[in-house]
Amino acid sequence: QLQLQESGPGLVKPSETLSLTCTVSGGSISSRSYYWGWIRQPPGKGLEWIGSIYYSGSTYYKPSLKSRVTISVDTSKNQFSLKLSSVTAADTAVYYCARGYYYDSRGYSPGEWGQGTLVTVSS
Amino acid sequence: EIVMTQSPATLSVSPGERATLSCRASQSVSSNLGWYQQKPGQAPRLLIYGASTRATGIPARFSGSGSGTEFTLTISSLQSEDFAVYYCQQYNNWPELTFGGGTKVEIK
């Protein structure tokens, strides 16, 4: 059974870089049938798609975050990562990693999610 | 960016009653729409994809309909475990995925 687990610091200072890793178990991150994504949810608010990566390394970032976001994949460790630079209090959120089905050049709604990790931006 | 608008923001329903949730897209997303359920402290759970196909293990009381810009999630007879927040998400504009703002289903 597929499991995704987010890990990383729970507290990041303003202007620094938020770094999270999603470790995938029970499935290969190199599968051509899936893509991998990051989503966040500020406390008490809705869901925001941050971006995605395919096994080939091709990425997509939400335009409003594009200048600050990097998503990468490490196939040797079966992990993918999120880096968000120059963070502010507005980046405080629960961050989720997820897997979605990819077929015929299209990704579908992600069906498997990690439990999420709260990242607080504060000095 | 395709904007997804959900209504109402809050829906008060008695157990056993039917709940109807709406989702509207700012432009056509064909049938490339999913619905999620989220309970407090938990990750979202995929209920529906392709606008009307139930995900694995989802009870038959959940049904989705619609295409283009108007979509509906219906819960035929609300159970206690169904009180939660529901989100729609479009993936027609892949790789740009966008979520609606959510509808909270609460006990009346």
Side-chain angles (χ1 to χ4, degrees):
Chain A
Q1 183 177 354
L2 186 83
Q3 290 190 323
L4 300 98
Q5 180 67 57
E6 305 89 350
S7 60
L11 181 64
V12 181
K13 290 182 169 55
S15 80
E16 295 190 342
T17 296
L18 177 160
S19 295
L20 295 175
T21 297
C22 182
T23 300
V24 179
S25 57
S28 173
I29 204 165
S30 299
S31 171
R32 297 186 179 201
S33 297
Y34 298 99
Y35 70 90
W36 309 89
W38 287 97
I39 304 99
R40 70 180 181 178
Q41 185 171 37
K45 296 188 178 180
L47 300 163
E48 179 183 27
W49 186 261
I50 299 171
S52 61
I53 190 165
Y54 191 46
Y55 85 101
S56 60
S58 63
T59 54
Y60 167 82
Y61 305 132
K62 181 175 180 177
S64 62
L65 299 172
K66 188 174 183 178
S67 64
R68 300 194 291 130
V69 173
T70 302
I71 298 175
S72 59
V73 64
D74 186 337
T75 55
S76 67
K77 295 181 179 179
N78 224 35
Q79 297 175 334
F80 63 107
S81 299
L82 169 71
K83 292 188 185 299
L84 181 65
S85 64
S86 304
V87 298
T88 69
D91 296 309
T92 294
V94 175
Y95 285 76
Y96 295 99
C97 59
R99 183 183 81 166
Y101 186 57
Y102 185 85
Y103 176 75
D104 197 20
S105 301
R106 178 190 299 285
Y108 291 73
S109 291
E112 291 86 23
W113 294 57
Q115 65 185 23
T117 186
L118 174 63
V119 179
T120 301
V121 179
S122 175
S123 55
Chain B
E1 176 181 315
I2 297 178
V3 178
M4 308 300 294
T5 303
Q6 291 187 241
S7 61
T10 303
L11 186 61
S12 298
V13 186
S14 299
E17 290 189 339
R18 173 186 297 256
T20 303
L21 289 67
S22 295
C23 175
R24 173 177 294 177
S26 60
Q27 64 188 75
S28 176
V29 297
S30 186
S31 295
N32 295 311
L33 183 110
W35 287 96
Y36 289 89
Q37 176 193 68
Q38 187 179 34
K39 297 179 181 179
Q42 295 185 15
R45 173 194 183 197
L46 181 65
L47 301 174
I48 301 284
Y49 62 92
S52 61
T53 302
R54 280 189 300 276
T56 303
I58 301 303
R61 65 180 181 273
F62 292 93
S63 62
S65 63
S67 66
T69 62
E70 301 283 343
F71 300 89
T72 300
L73 175 70
T74 302
I75 311 170
S76 61
S77 176
L78 271 160
Q79 307 297 303
S80 57
E81 62 267 29
D82 300 334
F83 293 95
V85 179
Y86 292 82
Y87 294 94
C88 61
Q89 181 204 40
Q90 69 80 23
Y91 50 91
N92 188 69
N93 218 28
W94 172 263
E96 175 195 316
L97 280 68
T98 48
F99 291 94
T103 291
K104 180 180 182 180
V105 178
E106 64 176 24
I107 300 175
K108 187 175 182 180

